[in-house]
Amino acid sequence: MKPIYFPEPFRIKSVEPLKMLTRAEREKKIADADYNVFYLASQDVYIDLLTDSGTGAMSSQQWAGVMMGDESYAGADCYYKVQDTAKKIFGMPYIQLVHQGRAAEKVLLGILLSGKKYAISNMHFDTTRAHVELAGARAIDCVVPEALDTTKYYDFKGNMDCKRLEQYIKELGAENIGVIIMTITNNSAGGQPVSVENIRQTRKIAHKHGIKFMIDAARYAENSYFVKQREPEFKNSTIDEIIKAIFEDADCFTMSSKKDAIVNMGGLVGCRDKALFELIKQRTISFEGFITYGGMSGRDIEALAIGLQEGIDENYLKYRIGQMQYLAARLDEAGIAYQSPVGGHAVFIDAKKLLPHIPYHEFPAQALAIELYKEAGIRACDIGSYMLGNDPDTGKQLEAEFEFTRLAIPRRVYTQSHLDVIADALINIKERASEIKGYKIVEEPPILRHFTAKLRPIK
Ligand code: F0G
């Protein structure tokens, strides 16, 4: 029997035509792009799975909101709306607007890590890691071991390994750790959820040692939906109630609004402590802009206030996670390995398993991303050794825990037929996998290199 996925709780009012290139044209485009998908023109991409960040489709209500946006420098109406909505959703007394997630990290981590040596997280996203390093500290990942086996079922592969966390605190000294960060969902582990139980336990450990507990809330709504499905305590709770349980007693959070708040630009910082909020406001004014707009235009703030509500609607979340599960089921049929069970915003193909002949230092996940573009004009990206980069102390290529090719699905953008194209392309690639070659880097910057590095195929 075929499973029934929850269908789109919307219909389409406006469409964006796509260009269709031939395979020969795509081969030339990717070579001209130095085999870095970030250098491709979006017009040359058929299905863009580079990210789910800022790529969602806004609703007619949000577009109407764009016209209502108040562009005043100080005290704009939309500012009060977004404050109201965010305080209600997160249950945090202090909320600051910033222009995106990494701006939130820049504002907050600079404060929390001042005079400190370490940040520990279930897994840092790459910009979070960069801001920890820019603040002069080192980022330590501490995810549960279950996350490392992509074929093994585990309800909450995003969880913090609390035993190991305690050991790290003992070894490194609580006084040297500026913050413990819970990333929900755990993007780098495959968009995997974190349980409320694990959040509570981690928070308890942090507070026992006098360390601040922060949530990276980029995909908090998708995380909450998984909690409802998988954590018995919450099976009868509303999404709203689960969000309250997640944020309860967290000291602060950063958020990229470009994901679960379904807007093209925006970010938030939240906290409970007035003294901390004063510091956040000061840094926001210097880095982002006056506190009532925080680097955003009024029209985007208005759309954000609406998107925050739409992104936590349970029917929407059912459809959203259902898209991932549909694509994952097609890959199961074809025997293509991915981080399983599938996560909330993307399917993370296990490139180590699909291309076992390519070693980590020849970037199998990047090789697969390039193949997907050649095969069907699909743009995916490497979340593996190519993205991880070099050790900041030794300059040597690091070996990532995973070699994932991430197929991030934008919100409310692609149909089930698009998902079928993705599955069919992967099936075709699997058939000729042994012929696919690795890549070498011929030019790279020292930090966040995957965005701008240049590569060549290894002959
Ligand atoms: N934290 C997480 C968990 C993220 O996934 C991202 C962005 C950020 C912080 C930074 O937010 O982009 O608004 O500055 N992730 C995007 C992605 C870019 O493709 O996964 P930002």
Side-chain angles (χ1 to χ4, degrees), residues 3 21 29 32 114 147 174 182-183 258 303 354 397 406 410 435:
L21 297 178
K29 296 279 183 195
D32 291 347
S114 161
M182 192 64 105
T183 309
K258 301 169 71 171
L354 194 64
Q397 172 66 50
R406 186 181 75 164
E435 299 158 22

Side-chain angles (χ1 to χ4, degrees), residues 80-287:
Y80 298 108
K81 273 189 200 151
V82 85
Q83 283 282 321
D84 243 29
T85 309
K87 281 181 194 172
K88 264 187 210 134
I89 291 176
F90 300 107
M92 284 243 182
Y94 302 112
I95 300 285
Q96 178 58 58
L97 283 165
V98 290
H99 84 276
Q100 65 182 99
R102 67 200 70 184
E105 292 159 2
K106 181 179 176 184
V107 164
L108 185 60
L109 291 176
I111 302 168
L112 300 180
L113 291 170
S114 161
K116 303 283 182 178
K117 290 190 182 144
Y118 303 99
I120 305 178
S121 174
N122 52 339
M123 285 187 97
H124 295 81
F125 182 64
D126 57 352
T127 61
T128 323
R129 174 177 298 277
H131 278 293
V132 168
E133 288 173 7
L134 286 167
R138 287 283 174 266
I140 296 172
D141 288 341
C142 190
V143 72
V144 287
E146 284 84 352
L148 307 185
D149 183 348
T150 59
T151 55
K152 186 171 163 184
Y153 186 93
Y154 188 64
D155 277 336
F156 292 103
K157 279 186 168 179
N159 278 359
M160 182 81 79
D161 183 340
C162 287
K163 258 204 196 126
R164 197 143 62 95
L165 175 64
E166 289 266 31
Q167 278 166 7
Y168 275 133
I169 296 173
K170 215 166 155 192
E171 282 163 26
L172 305 171
E175 68 285 3
N176 294 318
I177 302 165
V179 60
I180 291 173
I181 304 170
M182 192 64 105
T183 309
I184 59 169
T185 55
N186 187 329
N187 184 358
S188 311
Q192 294 293 312
V194 177
S195 70
V196 171
E197 189 196 0
N198 187 256
I199 292 171
R200 285 176 179 154
Q201 205 184 340
T202 304
R203 189 188 64 215
K204 234 187 229 163
I205 294 170
H207 287 171
K208 184 174 82 186
H209 294 280
I211 303 167
K212 288 260 187 293
F213 178 67
M214 170 188 137
I215 294 178
D216 175 343
R219 299 179 182 84
Y220 75 106
E222 288 164 5
N223 199 90
S224 302
Y225 183 77
F226 280 117
V227 165
K228 185 170 167 101
Q229 299 305 303
R230 297 181 187 171
E231 201 166 349
E233 181 187 338
F234 295 97
K235 70 173 195 287
N236 297 319
S237 307
T238 63
I239 296 296
D240 213 43
E241 288 162 350
I242 296 169
I243 296 167
K244 291 292 180 320
I246 288 174
F247 285 84
E248 192 186 2
D249 287 337
D251 295 294
C252 49
F253 74 92
T254 56
M255 180 172 132
S256 167
S257 309
K258 301 169 71 171
K259 285 87 170 168
D260 278 356
I262 330 182
V263 287
N264 305 120
M265 192 49 73
L268 295 174
V269 186
C271 72
R272 292 188 191 282
D273 178 47
K274 190 160 189 311
L276 176 59
F277 188 53
E278 290 307 318
L279 295 172
I280 290 169
K281 284 195 288 191
Q282 289 316 311
R283 285 173 69 89
T284 300
I285 293 172
S286 7
F287 295 139

